[in-house]
Amino acid sequence: MSDELSGNFIRDIVAEDLRAGKHETVVTRFPPEPNGYLHVGHAKSICLNFGVAQEFGGRCHLRFDDTNPLKEEQEYIDSIKEDVRWLGFDWGEHLYNASDYFDQLYEWAELLIRNGRAYVDDQSADQIRESRGTLTEGGRDSPYRGRSGEENLDLFRRMRAGEFPDGARVLRAKIDMASPNINLRDPVMYRILHARHPMTGDKWCIYPSYDYAHGQSDAIEGVTHSLCTLEFEDHRPLYDWFLEHLPVPSRPRQYEFARLNLSYTVLSKRFLLQLVKEGRVRGWDDPRMPTLSGMRRRGFPPEGIREFARMIGVAKRESVVDYAALEHSARDYLNRTVIRRMAVLRPLKVVITNYPEGQTEEFAAVDNPEDPGAGTHPVPFSPILYIERDDFMEEPPKKFYRLAPGREVRLRYAYLITCREVVKDASGQVVELRCTYDPATRGGTAPDGRSPKATLHWVSAAHARPAEVRLYEHLFKSPEPGAAGDLLADLNPRSEEVLARAWIEPGAAGLAVGERVQFERLGYFCVDPDRSADRLVFNRTVTLRDTWAKVQSRQK
Ligand code: ATP
Ligand code: MG
Protein backbone atom coordinates (compact mmCIF):
# COMPACT_ATOMS: atom_id res chain seq x y z
CA MET A 1 0.00 0.00 0.00
CA SER A 2 1.41 3.36 -0.90
CA ASP A 3 0.29 6.84 -0.03
CA GLU A 4 -2.12 7.11 -2.93
CA LEU A 5 -5.64 5.92 -2.30
CA SER A 6 -6.49 2.28 -2.29
CA GLY A 7 -9.66 1.54 -4.19
CA ASN A 8 -13.18 1.47 -2.86
CA PHE A 9 -15.30 -0.78 -5.07
CA ILE A 10 -18.47 -0.05 -3.09
CA ARG A 11 -18.15 3.62 -3.82
CA ASP A 12 -17.78 2.78 -7.51
CA ILE A 13 -20.96 0.67 -7.45
CA VAL A 14 -22.93 3.46 -5.80
CA ALA A 15 -21.58 6.03 -8.27
CA GLU A 16 -22.57 3.80 -11.19
CA ASP A 17 -26.06 3.06 -9.78
CA LEU A 18 -26.72 6.77 -9.40
CA ARG A 19 -25.34 7.55 -12.83
CA ALA A 20 -27.50 4.86 -14.41
CA GLY A 21 -30.56 6.20 -12.61
CA LYS A 22 -31.11 2.98 -10.64
CA HIS A 23 -31.68 5.06 -7.52
CA GLU A 24 -32.43 8.72 -7.04
CA THR A 25 -30.41 8.87 -3.90
CA VAL A 26 -28.21 6.55 -1.89
CA VAL A 27 -29.35 5.29 1.50
CA THR A 28 -26.99 3.25 3.66
CA ARG A 29 -27.08 2.20 7.30
CA PHE A 30 -24.65 1.29 10.03
CA PRO A 31 -26.26 -1.57 11.99
CA PRO A 32 -24.37 -2.34 15.21
CA GLU A 33 -25.63 -4.87 17.69
CA PRO A 34 -25.55 -3.07 21.07
CA ASN A 35 -23.71 -5.91 22.79
CA GLY A 36 -20.40 -4.13 23.35
CA TYR A 37 -18.37 -1.04 22.51
CA LEU A 38 -17.39 -0.20 18.95
CA HIS A 39 -13.86 -0.96 17.80
CA VAL A 40 -11.70 0.33 14.96
CA GLY A 41 -13.11 -2.38 12.66
CA HIS A 42 -16.50 -0.78 13.09
CA ALA A 43 -14.87 2.55 12.24
CA LYS A 44 -14.10 1.16 8.79
CA SER A 45 -17.76 0.30 8.33
CA ILE A 46 -18.93 3.66 9.74
CA CYS A 47 -16.59 5.63 7.47
CA LEU A 48 -17.74 3.57 4.51
CA ASN A 49 -21.48 3.82 5.16
CA PHE A 50 -21.57 7.45 6.26
CA GLY A 51 -18.80 8.44 3.85
CA VAL A 52 -20.54 7.10 0.75
CA ALA A 53 -23.86 8.65 1.78
CA GLN A 54 -22.15 11.98 2.39
CA GLU A 55 -20.20 11.95 -0.84
CA PHE A 56 -23.28 11.32 -2.98
CA GLY A 57 -25.69 13.53 -1.06
CA GLY A 58 -27.67 10.63 0.38
CA ARG A 59 -28.19 9.61 3.96
CA CYS A 60 -26.96 7.01 6.39
CA HIS A 61 -29.09 5.55 9.16
CA LEU A 62 -27.88 4.41 12.52
CA ARG A 63 -29.82 1.27 13.28
CA PHE A 64 -29.41 -0.80 16.39
CA ASP A 65 -29.66 -4.43 15.49
CA ASP A 66 -31.30 -5.26 18.80
CA THR A 67 -32.68 -8.73 18.22
CA ASN A 68 -30.98 -10.46 21.13
CA PRO A 69 -32.12 -8.94 24.46
CA LEU A 70 -29.87 -11.26 26.46
CA LYS A 71 -26.71 -9.47 25.42
CA GLU A 72 -27.85 -5.94 24.77
CA GLU A 73 -27.63 -3.03 27.17
CA GLN A 74 -28.37 0.68 27.33
CA GLU A 75 -24.73 1.39 28.20
CA TYR A 76 -23.71 -0.02 24.83
CA ILE A 77 -26.39 1.93 22.98
CA ASP A 78 -25.15 5.17 24.54
CA SER A 79 -21.49 4.44 23.87
CA ILE A 80 -22.16 3.56 20.23
CA LYS A 81 -23.94 6.87 19.63
CA GLU A 82 -21.15 8.77 21.32
CA ASP A 83 -18.49 6.98 19.27
CA VAL A 84 -20.19 7.52 15.91
CA ARG A 85 -20.56 11.24 16.71
CA TRP A 86 -16.99 11.44 17.88
CA LEU A 87 -15.82 9.95 14.59
CA GLY A 88 -17.51 12.93 12.98
CA PHE A 89 -20.74 11.47 11.59
CA ASP A 90 -24.36 12.43 12.04
CA TRP A 91 -27.41 10.29 11.42
CA GLY A 92 -29.71 13.30 11.81
CA GLU A 93 -33.22 12.08 12.51
CA HIS A 94 -32.48 8.62 11.15
CA LEU A 95 -31.98 6.70 14.34
CA TYR A 96 -33.73 3.32 14.27
CA ASN A 97 -33.90 -0.02 16.00
CA ALA A 98 -34.66 -3.40 14.52
CA SER A 99 -37.12 -3.59 17.42
CA ASP A 100 -39.09 -0.69 15.88
CA TYR A 101 -40.18 -3.25 13.30
CA PHE A 102 -41.08 -6.15 15.57
CA ASP A 103 -44.82 -5.73 14.85
CA GLN A 104 -44.30 -5.63 11.09
CA LEU A 105 -41.85 -8.52 11.18
CA TYR A 106 -44.35 -10.56 13.15
CA GLU A 107 -47.11 -9.84 10.64
CA TRP A 108 -44.87 -10.83 7.77
CA ALA A 109 -43.95 -14.03 9.56
CA GLU A 110 -47.65 -14.92 9.76
CA LEU A 111 -47.92 -14.15 6.07
CA LEU A 112 -45.11 -16.57 5.27
CA ILE A 113 -46.85 -19.22 7.37
CA ARG A 114 -50.11 -18.67 5.55
CA ASN A 115 -48.29 -18.97 2.23
CA GLY A 116 -46.72 -22.26 3.28
CA ARG A 117 -43.25 -20.70 3.54
CA ALA A 118 -42.65 -21.05 7.26
CA TYR A 119 -43.40 -23.63 9.94
CA VAL A 120 -43.10 -24.18 13.65
CA ASP A 121 -40.51 -26.78 14.56
CA ASP A 122 -40.63 -28.56 17.93
CA GLN A 123 -37.14 -30.00 17.64
CA SER A 124 -34.51 -28.91 20.13
CA ALA A 125 -31.69 -26.62 19.07
CA ASP A 126 -29.34 -29.61 19.07
CA GLN A 127 -31.65 -31.68 16.88
CA ILE A 128 -32.00 -28.80 14.45
CA ARG A 129 -28.29 -28.32 14.27
CA GLU A 130 -27.67 -32.00 13.83
CA SER A 131 -30.25 -32.46 11.05
CA ARG A 132 -29.01 -29.42 9.20
CA GLY A 133 -26.27 -31.40 7.48
CA THR A 134 -22.77 -30.24 6.64
CA LEU A 135 -20.98 -28.45 3.84
CA THR A 136 -20.72 -31.74 1.94
CA GLU A 137 -23.96 -33.37 3.03
CA GLY A 138 -27.54 -32.16 2.69
CA GLY A 139 -29.85 -31.78 5.68
CA ARG A 140 -32.85 -33.88 6.73
CA ASP A 141 -36.40 -32.61 6.88
CA SER A 142 -37.80 -31.98 10.33
CA PRO A 143 -40.64 -34.32 11.28
CA TYR A 144 -42.68 -31.12 11.81
CA ARG A 145 -42.02 -29.71 8.37
CA GLY A 146 -45.33 -30.97 6.98
CA ARG A 147 -47.55 -29.25 9.53
CA SER A 148 -50.68 -27.61 8.18
CA GLY A 149 -50.82 -23.84 7.82
CA GLU A 150 -53.51 -23.66 10.46
CA GLU A 151 -51.56 -25.65 13.01
CA ASN A 152 -48.46 -23.54 12.34
CA LEU A 153 -50.37 -20.32 12.77
CA ASP A 154 -51.94 -21.53 15.99
CA LEU A 155 -48.59 -22.65 17.43
CA PHE A 156 -46.81 -19.47 16.36
CA ARG A 157 -49.49 -17.33 18.02
CA ARG A 158 -49.18 -19.37 21.17
CA MET A 159 -45.40 -18.96 21.03
CA ARG A 160 -45.99 -15.25 21.00
CA ALA A 161 -48.56 -15.46 23.77
CA GLY A 162 -45.97 -16.97 26.05
CA GLU A 163 -47.40 -20.47 26.34
CA PHE A 164 -44.09 -22.24 25.83
CA PRO A 165 -40.76 -22.12 27.65
CA ASP A 166 -37.52 -20.88 26.08
CA GLY A 167 -36.22 -23.22 23.40
CA ALA A 168 -39.41 -25.31 23.17
CA ARG A 169 -40.14 -24.33 19.58
CA VAL A 170 -38.87 -22.12 16.78
CA LEU A 171 -40.30 -20.71 13.61
CA ARG A 172 -38.33 -21.72 10.53
CA ALA A 173 -38.50 -20.56 6.96
CA LYS A 174 -39.44 -23.45 4.66
CA ILE A 175 -36.89 -23.24 1.90
CA ASP A 176 -34.77 -26.25 0.96
CA MET A 177 -33.11 -28.75 3.30
CA ALA A 178 -31.05 -30.06 0.38
CA SER A 179 -29.66 -26.68 -0.65
CA PRO A 180 -25.88 -26.61 -1.04
CA ASN A 181 -26.07 -23.34 0.94
CA ILE A 182 -26.61 -24.21 4.60
CA ASN A 183 -28.20 -20.82 5.18
CA LEU A 184 -31.12 -21.88 2.99
CA ARG A 185 -31.77 -25.09 4.91
CA ASP A 186 -34.86 -23.84 6.69
CA PRO A 187 -33.19 -21.12 8.79
CA VAL A 188 -34.65 -20.11 12.13
CA MET A 189 -36.76 -16.95 11.98
CA TYR A 190 -38.02 -16.74 15.57
CA ARG A 191 -36.95 -18.19 18.87
CA ILE A 192 -38.65 -18.09 22.25
CA LEU A 193 -36.83 -15.92 24.80
CA HIS A 194 -38.61 -14.82 27.91
CA ALA A 195 -36.35 -11.83 28.36
CA ARG A 196 -36.90 -8.13 28.91
CA HIS A 197 -35.82 -6.04 25.94
CA PRO A 198 -34.18 -2.60 26.43
CA MET A 199 -36.65 -1.03 23.98
CA THR A 200 -39.79 -3.15 23.95
CA GLY A 201 -39.73 -4.23 27.58
CA ASP A 202 -41.89 -7.29 28.22
CA LYS A 203 -44.00 -6.97 25.11
CA TRP A 204 -42.31 -9.87 23.34
CA CYS A 205 -41.18 -13.32 24.34
CA ILE A 206 -40.27 -14.35 20.81
CA TYR A 207 -37.47 -12.56 18.97
CA PRO A 208 -36.55 -12.57 15.28
CA SER A 209 -33.19 -13.85 14.07
CA TYR A 210 -30.65 -11.50 12.53
CA ASP A 211 -31.20 -13.04 9.11
CA TYR A 212 -34.92 -12.49 9.22
CA ALA A 213 -34.82 -9.01 10.75
CA HIS A 214 -32.00 -7.48 8.79
CA GLY A 215 -33.12 -7.35 5.17
CA GLN A 216 -36.70 -6.46 6.10
CA SER A 217 -35.43 -3.58 8.26
CA ASP A 218 -33.37 -2.39 5.29
CA ALA A 219 -36.42 -2.57 3.05
CA ILE A 220 -38.67 -0.72 5.50
CA GLU A 221 -36.12 2.09 5.76
CA GLY A 222 -35.58 2.32 2.02
CA VAL A 223 -31.92 1.37 2.26
CA THR A 224 -30.48 1.08 -1.23
CA HIS A 225 -27.05 -0.41 -0.51
CA SER A 226 -26.78 -2.71 2.49
CA LEU A 227 -23.07 -3.05 3.18
CA CYS A 228 -21.72 -5.82 5.34
CA THR A 229 -18.62 -7.91 5.84
CA LEU A 230 -17.71 -11.00 3.83
CA GLU A 231 -18.96 -13.56 6.31
CA PHE A 232 -22.47 -12.59 5.22
CA GLU A 233 -21.84 -13.38 1.56
CA ASP A 234 -23.43 -16.82 1.95
CA HIS A 235 -26.40 -15.22 3.67
CA ARG A 236 -27.21 -13.07 0.66
CA PRO A 237 -29.42 -15.70 -1.04
CA LEU A 238 -31.45 -15.81 2.17
CA TYR A 239 -31.52 -12.01 2.39
CA ASP A 240 -32.95 -12.00 -1.14
CA TRP A 241 -35.35 -14.90 -0.47
CA PHE A 242 -37.17 -13.02 2.28
CA LEU A 243 -37.38 -9.87 0.17
CA GLU A 244 -38.81 -11.85 -2.75
CA HIS A 245 -41.49 -13.55 -0.69
CA LEU A 246 -42.67 -10.57 1.34
CA PRO A 247 -44.55 -7.42 0.29
CA VAL A 248 -41.66 -5.17 1.28
CA PRO A 249 -41.80 -1.48 0.30
CA SER A 250 -38.37 -1.42 -1.38
CA ARG A 251 -35.66 -3.70 -2.71
CA PRO A 252 -32.30 -3.13 -1.05
CA ARG A 253 -29.22 -4.97 -2.24
CA GLN A 254 -26.55 -6.44 -0.05
CA TYR A 255 -22.86 -5.96 -0.86
CA GLU A 256 -20.02 -7.54 1.06
CA PHE A 257 -16.54 -6.17 1.72
CA ALA A 258 -13.51 -7.47 3.60
CA ARG A 259 -13.50 -6.71 7.29
CA LEU A 260 -10.61 -4.81 8.80
CA ASN A 261 -7.98 -7.02 10.38
CA LEU A 262 -5.12 -5.28 12.18
CA SER A 263 -1.83 -6.78 13.22
CA TYR A 264 -1.30 -7.18 17.00
CA THR A 265 -5.01 -6.57 17.49
CA VAL A 266 -8.17 -8.56 18.10
CA LEU A 267 -11.33 -7.02 16.69
CA SER A 268 -14.19 -8.89 18.26
CA LYS A 269 -16.62 -7.39 20.72
CA ARG A 270 -17.05 -10.74 22.37
CA PHE A 271 -13.36 -11.13 23.09
CA LEU A 272 -12.94 -7.50 24.12
CA LEU A 273 -15.80 -8.01 26.58
CA GLN A 274 -13.91 -10.95 28.04
CA LEU A 275 -10.82 -8.77 28.57
CA VAL A 276 -12.95 -6.22 30.39
CA LYS A 277 -14.82 -8.79 32.49
CA GLU A 278 -11.67 -10.59 33.53
CA GLY A 279 -9.99 -7.33 34.48
CA ARG A 280 -7.13 -7.78 32.04
CA VAL A 281 -7.54 -4.13 31.03
CA ARG A 282 -8.89 -1.18 32.98
CA GLY A 283 -12.16 -1.15 31.06
CA TRP A 284 -13.66 -0.71 27.60
CA ASP A 285 -11.87 2.61 27.31
CA ASP A 286 -8.47 1.37 28.41
CA PRO A 287 -6.00 3.18 26.12
CA ARG A 288 -4.65 -0.18 24.94
CA MET A 289 -8.04 -1.31 23.68
CA PRO A 290 -8.83 -1.08 19.96
CA THR A 291 -12.23 0.29 20.92
CA LEU A 292 -13.04 3.78 19.74
CA SER A 293 -13.44 4.85 23.37
CA GLY A 294 -10.01 3.41 24.18
CA MET A 295 -8.44 5.09 21.18
CA ARG A 296 -10.07 8.39 22.12
CA ARG A 297 -8.68 8.14 25.63
CA ARG A 298 -5.30 7.22 24.23
CA GLY A 299 -5.37 10.41 22.14
CA PHE A 300 -6.08 9.13 18.63
CA PRO A 301 -7.73 11.96 16.69
CA PRO A 302 -10.92 11.04 14.80
CA GLU A 303 -9.41 12.80 11.76
CA GLY A 304 -6.55 10.27 11.83
CA ILE A 305 -8.95 7.32 12.00
CA ARG A 306 -10.98 8.67 9.10
CA GLU A 307 -7.81 9.17 7.09
CA PHE A 308 -6.77 5.62 7.94
CA ALA A 309 -10.10 4.28 6.65
CA ARG A 310 -9.66 6.28 3.44
CA MET A 311 -6.11 5.06 3.01
CA ILE A 312 -6.81 1.33 3.45
CA GLY A 313 -9.73 1.48 1.05
CA VAL A 314 -12.48 -1.11 0.67
CA ALA A 315 -11.87 -4.38 -1.11
CA LYS A 316 -13.37 -7.82 -1.44
CA ARG A 317 -10.18 -9.66 -0.51
CA GLU A 318 -9.24 -10.41 3.11
CA SER A 319 -5.99 -8.89 4.33
CA VAL A 320 -4.24 -7.83 7.50
CA VAL A 321 -3.36 -4.16 7.82
CA ASP A 322 -0.17 -3.24 9.64
CA TYR A 323 -0.97 -1.52 12.94
CA ALA A 324 1.79 0.94 12.06
CA ALA A 325 -0.41 2.24 9.22
CA LEU A 326 -2.99 3.33 11.77
CA GLU A 327 -0.30 5.08 13.80
CA HIS A 328 0.99 6.71 10.65
CA SER A 329 -2.39 8.28 9.92
CA ALA A 330 -2.72 9.56 13.46
CA ARG A 331 0.82 10.91 13.52
CA ASP A 332 0.34 12.71 10.27
CA TYR A 333 -2.62 14.64 11.64
CA LEU A 334 -1.05 15.23 15.05
CA ASN A 335 2.15 16.52 13.53
CA ARG A 336 0.26 19.22 11.68
CA THR A 337 -2.00 20.24 14.54
CA VAL A 338 -0.71 19.77 18.07
CA ILE A 339 1.47 22.02 20.21
CA ARG A 340 5.01 21.11 21.23
CA ARG A 341 6.22 21.12 24.81
CA MET A 342 9.03 19.52 26.80
CA ALA A 343 8.69 16.81 29.40
CA VAL A 344 11.17 14.50 31.09
CA LEU A 345 9.87 11.01 31.76
CA ARG A 346 12.78 9.45 33.69
CA PRO A 347 14.52 12.42 35.26
CA LEU A 348 18.22 12.82 35.92
CA LYS A 349 19.29 15.96 37.77
CA VAL A 350 21.73 18.34 36.06
CA VAL A 351 23.37 21.21 37.93
CA ILE A 352 24.91 24.01 35.85
CA THR A 353 27.75 24.97 38.15
CA ASN A 354 28.77 28.23 36.46
CA TYR A 355 25.25 29.61 36.07
CA PRO A 356 24.57 32.49 38.49
CA GLU A 357 22.73 31.17 41.51
CA GLY A 358 19.20 32.45 41.91
CA GLN A 359 19.04 33.58 38.29
CA THR A 360 16.39 32.44 35.82
CA GLU A 361 15.73 33.38 32.24
CA GLU A 362 13.22 32.51 29.57
CA PHE A 363 13.51 31.23 26.04
CA ALA A 364 10.84 31.46 23.38
CA ALA A 365 9.93 28.00 22.11
CA VAL A 366 7.86 27.48 18.99
CA ASP A 367 4.42 26.03 19.52
CA ASN A 368 4.36 24.09 16.28
CA PRO A 369 6.98 24.36 13.53
CA GLU A 370 4.51 22.71 11.09
CA ASP A 371 1.93 25.41 11.62
CA PRO A 372 3.05 28.86 10.44
CA GLY A 373 0.15 30.44 12.33
CA ALA A 374 1.23 29.02 15.67
CA GLY A 375 3.10 31.25 18.09
CA THR A 376 5.70 30.71 20.78
CA HIS A 377 5.61 30.13 24.49
CA PRO A 378 8.16 30.96 27.19
CA VAL A 379 10.31 28.18 28.64
CA PRO A 380 12.01 29.01 31.94
CA PHE A 381 15.66 28.09 32.53
CA SER A 382 17.52 27.92 35.84
CA PRO A 383 20.72 26.27 37.14
CA ILE A 384 19.05 23.03 38.21
CA LEU A 385 17.47 21.03 35.40
CA TYR A 386 16.20 17.57 34.64
CA ILE A 387 17.17 15.67 31.54
CA GLU A 388 16.19 12.19 30.42
CA ARG A 389 18.12 9.46 32.20
CA ASP A 390 18.87 7.60 28.97
CA ASP A 391 20.28 10.77 27.38
CA PHE A 392 23.40 10.19 29.47
CA MET A 393 25.90 7.33 29.46
CA GLU A 394 28.97 7.15 31.55
CA GLU A 395 30.70 4.92 29.06
CA PRO A 396 29.06 5.69 25.76
CA PRO A 397 29.31 3.13 22.96
CA LYS A 398 30.34 4.24 19.51
CA LYS A 399 27.15 5.70 18.09
CA PHE A 400 25.88 7.29 21.29
CA TYR A 401 26.18 11.05 20.69
CA ARG A 402 24.25 12.31 23.68
CA LEU A 403 25.67 13.40 27.01
CA ALA A 404 28.75 11.68 28.48
CA PRO A 405 31.61 12.75 30.76
CA GLY A 406 33.57 15.59 29.14
CA ARG A 407 31.16 15.84 26.24
CA GLU A 408 29.24 18.89 25.02
CA VAL A 409 25.57 18.77 23.90
CA ARG A 410 22.90 21.31 23.09
CA LEU A 411 19.93 21.92 25.36
CA ARG A 412 16.97 22.63 23.11
CA TYR A 413 16.33 26.43 22.82
CA ALA A 414 18.92 27.15 25.55
CA TYR A 415 22.70 26.64 25.69
CA LEU A 416 25.49 24.23 24.97
CA ILE A 417 26.52 22.43 28.14
CA THR A 418 29.44 20.17 28.96
CA CYS A 419 29.42 17.37 31.52
CA ARG A 420 32.22 17.85 34.07
CA GLU A 421 31.40 15.51 36.90
CA VAL A 422 29.23 12.48 37.60
CA VAL A 423 27.76 12.17 41.09
CA LYS A 424 26.70 8.73 42.33
CA ASP A 425 24.92 7.43 45.39
CA ALA A 426 26.19 4.70 47.71
CA SER A 427 24.90 1.99 45.37
CA GLY A 428 26.74 3.42 42.39
CA GLN A 429 23.63 4.86 40.70
CA VAL A 430 24.20 8.12 38.86
CA VAL A 431 22.10 10.72 40.70
CA GLU A 432 23.42 14.00 39.39
CA LEU A 433 25.52 15.49 36.62
CA ARG A 434 27.52 18.62 37.23
CA CYS A 435 27.88 20.58 34.03
CA THR A 436 29.04 23.96 32.81
CA TYR A 437 27.31 26.06 30.19
CA ASP A 438 28.78 28.39 27.59
CA PRO A 439 27.07 31.79 28.01
CA ALA A 440 28.03 32.69 24.42
CA THR A 441 25.74 29.97 23.04
CA ARG A 442 22.41 31.42 24.11
CA GLY A 443 19.65 30.04 21.88
CA GLY A 444 21.81 27.04 21.03
CA THR A 445 24.29 28.36 18.46
CA ALA A 446 27.98 28.85 19.14
CA PRO A 447 29.69 31.95 17.67
CA ASP A 448 32.65 29.80 16.58
CA GLY A 449 30.32 27.51 14.66
CA ARG A 450 30.89 24.36 16.71
CA SER A 451 27.77 22.23 16.77
CA PRO A 452 27.24 19.18 18.99
CA LYS A 453 25.57 16.19 17.39
CA ALA A 454 22.89 15.88 20.05
CA THR A 455 20.14 18.20 21.20
CA LEU A 456 18.42 17.20 24.43
CA HIS A 457 15.07 18.18 25.88
CA TRP A 458 14.98 19.31 29.50
CA VAL A 459 12.91 21.03 32.14
CA SER A 460 13.88 23.54 34.82
CA ALA A 461 13.58 21.87 38.24
CA ALA A 462 12.34 25.04 39.92
CA HIS A 463 9.55 25.47 37.41
CA ALA A 464 8.61 21.93 36.39
CA ARG A 465 5.30 20.36 37.38
CA PRO A 466 4.93 16.71 38.35
CA ALA A 467 3.09 14.37 36.01
CA GLU A 468 2.35 10.72 35.51
CA VAL A 469 3.01 9.38 32.06
CA ARG A 470 1.66 6.10 30.74
CA LEU A 471 3.45 4.43 27.86
CA TYR A 472 1.88 1.71 25.78
CA GLU A 473 2.90 -1.17 23.61
CA HIS A 474 0.67 -3.52 21.66
CA LEU A 475 -1.89 -5.31 23.80
CA PHE A 476 -0.66 -8.53 22.15
CA LYS A 477 2.91 -9.59 21.74
CA SER A 478 2.17 -11.52 18.57
CA PRO A 479 1.35 -9.85 15.24
CA GLU A 480 -1.29 -12.54 14.75
CA PRO A 481 -2.85 -12.98 18.19
CA GLY A 482 -4.24 -16.41 18.83
CA ALA A 483 -2.56 -17.97 15.81
CA ALA A 484 -1.18 -20.66 18.10
CA GLY A 485 -4.60 -21.30 19.56
CA ASP A 486 -4.72 -19.29 22.75
CA LEU A 487 -5.52 -15.59 22.54
CA LEU A 488 -4.94 -14.88 26.21
CA ALA A 489 -1.49 -16.47 26.10
CA ASP A 490 -0.54 -13.87 23.51
CA LEU A 491 -1.36 -10.90 25.73
CA ASN A 492 1.67 -8.66 26.13
CA PRO A 493 2.59 -8.44 29.84
CA ARG A 494 4.45 -5.20 29.14
CA SER A 495 1.66 -3.44 27.28
CA GLU A 496 1.54 -0.61 29.83
CA GLU A 497 4.36 1.17 31.63
CA VAL A 498 3.48 3.81 34.20
CA LEU A 499 6.07 6.51 34.91
CA ALA A 500 4.84 8.19 38.06
CA ARG A 501 7.65 10.69 38.52
CA ALA A 502 7.79 12.57 35.26
CA TRP A 503 8.21 16.35 34.99
CA ILE A 504 6.58 18.66 32.50
CA GLU A 505 7.40 22.24 31.63
CA PRO A 506 4.92 24.78 33.09
CA GLY A 507 3.62 25.51 29.59
CA ALA A 508 2.04 22.04 29.54
CA ALA A 509 0.47 22.26 32.98
CA GLY A 510 -2.72 23.95 31.83
CA LEU A 511 -3.79 21.24 29.42
CA ALA A 512 -7.33 19.93 29.90
CA VAL A 513 -8.48 16.32 29.79
CA GLY A 514 -8.44 15.09 26.20
CA GLU A 515 -6.04 17.80 25.00
CA ARG A 516 -3.07 16.63 22.99
CA VAL A 517 0.55 17.64 22.96
CA GLN A 518 3.81 16.56 21.41
CA PHE A 519 6.49 16.18 24.03
CA GLU A 520 9.61 16.85 22.05
CA ARG A 521 11.54 13.74 21.07
CA LEU A 522 9.10 11.52 22.98
CA GLY A 523 5.89 11.36 21.01
CA TYR A 524 2.29 12.52 21.05
CA PHE A 525 0.40 12.50 24.33
CA CYS A 526 -3.10 13.15 25.57
CA VAL A 527 -4.31 14.18 29.03
CA ASP A 528 -6.10 11.31 30.76
CA PRO A 529 -9.26 11.76 32.87
CA ASP A 530 -7.33 10.23 35.79
CA ARG A 531 -5.61 13.61 36.29
CA SER A 532 -5.90 15.19 39.71
CA ALA A 533 -5.87 18.85 40.72
CA ASP A 534 -2.12 18.93 41.27
CA ARG A 535 -0.90 16.31 38.83
CA LEU A 536 -1.63 15.71 35.18
CA VAL A 537 -1.70 12.19 33.75
CA PHE A 538 -0.67 11.66 30.13
CA ASN A 539 -1.18 8.73 27.78
CA ARG A 540 1.27 8.32 24.95
CA THR A 541 -0.75 8.01 21.77
CA VAL A 542 2.15 7.23 19.42
CA THR A 543 5.89 7.75 19.34
CA LEU A 544 7.48 10.04 16.78
CA ARG A 545 9.11 7.26 14.83
CA ASP A 546 7.14 6.33 11.77
CA THR A 547 7.94 2.68 11.13
CA TRP A 548 5.20 2.42 8.54
CA ALA A 549 6.45 5.26 6.33
CA LYS A 550 9.92 3.73 6.53
CA VAL A 551 8.72 0.33 5.33
CA GLN A 552 6.77 1.98 2.50
CA SER A 553 9.77 3.91 1.23
CA ARG A 554 11.94 0.80 1.39
CA GLN A 555 9.42 -1.04 -0.77
CA LYS A 556 9.43 1.63 -3.46
P1 ATP B 1 -17.88 -8.20 16.50
O1 ATP B 1 -17.56 -9.57 16.01
O2 ATP B 1 -16.71 -7.38 16.87
O3 ATP B 1 -18.95 -8.21 17.56
P2 ATP B 1 -19.93 -7.71 14.67
O4 ATP B 1 -19.84 -7.79 13.20
O5 ATP B 1 -20.65 -8.80 15.38
O6 ATP B 1 -18.50 -7.47 15.24
P3 ATP B 1 -21.89 -5.71 14.67
O7 ATP B 1 -22.33 -4.83 15.77
O8 ATP B 1 -22.83 -6.74 14.17
O9 ATP B 1 -20.57 -6.36 15.15
O10 ATP B 1 -21.32 -4.85 13.48
C1 ATP B 1 -21.89 -3.70 12.93
C2 ATP B 1 -21.31 -3.49 11.57
O11 ATP B 1 -19.89 -3.34 11.64
C3 ATP B 1 -21.58 -4.68 10.67
O12 ATP B 1 -22.05 -4.21 9.43
C4 ATP B 1 -20.25 -5.34 10.55
O13 ATP B 1 -20.12 -6.00 9.33
C5 ATP B 1 -19.27 -4.19 10.72
N1 ATP B 1 -17.98 -4.66 11.23
C6 ATP B 1 -17.76 -5.37 12.34
N2 ATP B 1 -16.44 -5.68 12.48
C7 ATP B 1 -15.82 -5.14 11.40
C8 ATP B 1 -14.46 -5.10 10.95
N3 ATP B 1 -13.48 -5.69 11.62
N4 ATP B 1 -14.19 -4.45 9.79
C9 ATP B 1 -15.18 -3.84 9.11
N5 ATP B 1 -16.47 -3.84 9.47
C10 ATP B 1 -16.80 -4.47 10.60
MG1 MG C 1 -22.43 -9.41 15.64
Side-chain angles (χ1 to χ4, degrees), residues 272-338:
L272 297 176
L273 174 64
Q274 186 186 345
L275 293 180
V276 173
K277 280 200 169 149
E278 293 178 2
R280 292 173 192 273
V281 291
R282 295 163 191 255
W284 281 104
D285 69 345
D286 186 299
R288 293 165 291 181
M289 289 280 268
T291 52
L292 294 180
S293 51
M295 293 173 74
R296 173 165 64 237
R297 184 163 181 180
R298 171 110 165 223
F300 273 95
E303 295 86 351
I305 298 174
R306 293 203 301 266
E307 172 55 22
F308 171 70
R310 199 183 66 100
M311 187 173 77
I312 59 174
V314 178
K316 196 103 188 161
R317 194 170 45 85
E318 287 283 351
S319 66
V320 179
V321 176
D322 191 341
Y323 187 89
L326 176 60
E327 294 189 317
H328 170 83
S329 306
R331 200 179 276 116
D332 203 53
Y333 177 81
L334 294 169
N335 179 41
R336 283 183 276 118
T337 54
V338 308

Side-chain angles (χ1 to χ4, degrees), residues 61-80:
H61 301 177
L62 175 60
R63 184 201 313 144
F64 288 104
D65 170 24
D66 55 353
T67 53
N68 183 358
L70 295 182
K71 292 190 185 159
E72 294 157 11
E73 287 174 28
Q74 189 61 40
E75 177 192 350
Y76 301 143
I77 294 174
D78 296 340
S79 76
I80 288 170

